[in-house]
Amino acid sequence: MDRRSFIKNAGVASAGVAASTVLAAPAIAQTNPKITWRLTSSFPKSLDTIFGGAEDVAARVAAATDGNFTIQTFAAGEIVPGLQAADAVSAGTVEMCHTCSYYYVGKDPTFAIGTAIPFGLNARLTNSWFYNGNGNTLLNEFYAKHNLYGMISGNTGAQMGGWFRKEINTVDDIKGVKMRIAGLAGKVIEKLGGVPQQIAGGDIYPALEKGTIDAAEWVGPYDDHKLGFYKVAKYYYYPAFWEGGPVIHSFVNLDKWNSLPKSYQAVLQDACSFANTNMMAKYDSKNPTAIKQLVGEGTILRPFSQEILEACYNAALEVYAEISATNADFKKIYEDQVAFKREGYLWMQLSEYTFDTFMMIQQRNGKL
């Protein structure tokens, strides 16, 4: 090969390499595009643990994508009111929200199962049903009808039963009580003569203070202390039989979800799973200190009586039967969860319950 031919051929080869490099760049960029989403929360920033779930999701997504996929988090009221977060996602106003599914029972009572229903699953069984049972699949079939895709992104563990201005010793004591309570628990309280109210977290204190409501439930000691409920209602009841393991969801607009690269979908799912685990870990570490603070500041702890729990359980079964008779989505998902719960508690009474009971006895006897 002579020198002129070599240079000519080399030039063509170099041009080809350059051209291929230029052509390949857009293909690489398309697999890792720059995407910025907005997430609206149903919670105020002051509730750092529950609002922090959204921040956990955003931070993990940004870190895993080298900042190519960013999610801007907004507190309740900064874009839309807290109880309209999922509506904004469904309509495409924002791409994503961090909220409780049961806030939207007014649209369809099936939404309640996505968070928690009275006498439903504890936190361990909730995770199991969503991740390894049919929970996530069945609920996302339902959420798709509302242009939503859901991922569990937080859990508080079993909550407290709420703050009351007066003692609640019998079922009759519930009659006429105006109580801030979410989801289908309101239907149960209503059957016992109470008057349920759905109020966003940031608005509960002034409603209690002004006497607009007589009682309120929120989450548990850490959040409730921050919100100052002990200053306006001194009786603190337990447990929240309606929230044994309540889920906080990340909802994504379904069209936006479907348009995400598969790698970004996986990153977002993993980020939500981390937020789910981390939130419960935070509450489990913060609630023990907070409950002691509350008692030290005059809070009176009271368990709901067996009479009240039994009456509420029977009322809940009536509510589920009534809804199932007219709502095929609710019936299908509810029956699947009940079947899962029946098997789950068969095992847990041998394992978790007996172990925890023994250890709690040691703690009470001062040996722990």
Side-chain angles (χ1 to χ4, degrees):
M1 180 180 292
D2 62 33
R3 181 174 178 275
R4 185 173 297 175
S5 298
F6 175 80
I7 292 173
K8 179 180 179 182
N9 291 335
V12 171
S14 298
V17 170
S20 66
T21 302
V22 172
L23 290 172
I28 294 171
Q30 286 170 5
T31 60
N32 294 285
K34 286 279 188 182
I35 295 176
T36 300
W37 279 7
R38 295 190 302 167
L39 178 154
T40 184
S41 172
S42 285
F43 314 108
K45 290 181 180 178
S46 58
L47 297 179
D48 56 312
T49 303
I50 198 164
F51 179 80
E55 294 179 314
D56 279 346
V57 171
R60 287 273 163 157
V61 166
T65 61
D66 292 327
N68 284 318
F69 184 9
T70 58
I71 300 172
Q72 300 172 336
T73 58
F74 296 87
E78 291 183 339
I79 297 178
V80 295
L83 299 182
Q84 296 176 23
D87 299 329
V89 174
S90 180
T93 304
V94 293
E95 292 84 5
M96 190 172 175
C97 71
H98 191 242
T99 187
C100 291
S101 181
Y102 66 10
Y103 290 161
Y104 311 97
V105 292
K107 297 178 179 296
D108 190 313
T110 310
F111 274 102
I113 306 176
T115 299
I117 58 175
F119 305 99
L121 303 174
N122 66 15
R124 281 273 300 270
L125 290 177
T126 293
N127 280 343
S128 184
W129 183 60
F130 269 98
Y131 288 138
N132 288 286
N134 298 320
N136 202 53
T137 298
L138 291 175
L139 278 161
N140 270 316
E141 289 174 358
F142 166 73
Y143 292 143
K145 298 178 181 181
H146 298 269
N147 201 31
L148 299 170
Y149 181 80
M151 291 163 283
I152 61 175
S153 303
N155 197 310
T156 67
Q159 296 188 357
M160 290 290 283
W163 298 84
F164 292 77
R165 290 180 173 276
K166 66 174 187 176
E167 288 191 73
I168 305 294
N169 297 313
T170 69
V171 172
D172 284 343
D173 291 335
I174 296 175
K175 292 179 181 178
V177 172
K178 295 176 295 215
M179 183 177 185
R180 184 276 174 192
I181 192 165
L184 292 182
K187 294 288 186 183
V188 173
I189 293 297
E190 197 169 39
K191 278 188 173 290
L192 272 59
V195 184
Q197 309 283 322
Q198 181 145 292
I199 303 172
D203 299 325
I204 298 173
Y205 182 92
L208 263 178
E209 186 180 37
K210 295 173 184 176
T212 306
I213 56 176
D214 307 305
E217 59 82 29
W218 178 241
V219 173
Y222 180 70
D223 279 358
D224 293 2
H225 186 268
K226 270 181 165 287
L227 291 171
F229 298 148
Y230 64 96
K231 299 175 183 177
V232 288
K234 66 179 180 177
Y235 295 102
Y236 199 21
Y237 278 82
Y238 62 90
F241 57 80
W242 51 90
E243 290 179 295
V247 167
I248 295 87
H249 261 88
S250 287
F251 285 126
V252 177
N253 177 278
L254 188 58
D255 296 329
K256 291 292 185 180
W257 170 256
N258 289 332
S259 68
L260 268 186
K262 295 297 182 185
S263 60
Y264 282 11
Q265 287 182 351
V267 164
L268 184 51
Q269 287 173 323
D270 287 347
C272 289
S273 293
F274 171 78
N276 180 48
T277 303
N278 197 35
M279 184 182 294
M280 188 151 20
K282 287 179 179 179
Y283 277 120
D284 283 346
S285 67
K286 294 177 178 180
N287 280 332
T289 300
I291 193 67
K292 288 187 286 187
Q293 287 180 312
L294 287 168
V295 171
E297 289 163 346
T299 295
I300 301 172
L301 291 177
R302 290 283 188 273
F304 284 124
S305 68
Q306 195 67 21
E307 174 199 348
I308 290 173
L309 291 175
E310 289 285 353
C312 288
Y313 184 73
N314 292 331
L317 295 182
E318 289 179 18
V319 169
Y320 302 147
E322 290 165 3
I323 298 173
S324 294
T326 59
N327 189 315
D329 287 329
F330 182 93
K331 184 175 187 294
K332 178 181 178 180
I333 302 173
Y334 170 70
E335 289 181 349
D336 185 88
Q337 189 186 88
V338 168
F340 190 90
K341 175 172 57 177
R342 186 180 301 117
E343 294 300 310
Y345 277 115
L346 177 65
W347 162 240
M348 281 201 162
Q349 66 184 305
L350 300 177
S351 57
E352 301 294 318
Y353 177 76
T354 51
F355 177 78
D356 287 347
T357 300
F358 177 81
M359 294 305 297
M360 289 171 188
I361 291 171
Q362 307 316 303
Q363 192 264 351
R364 289 172 186 171
N365 290 338
K367 296 171 69 177
L368 175 63

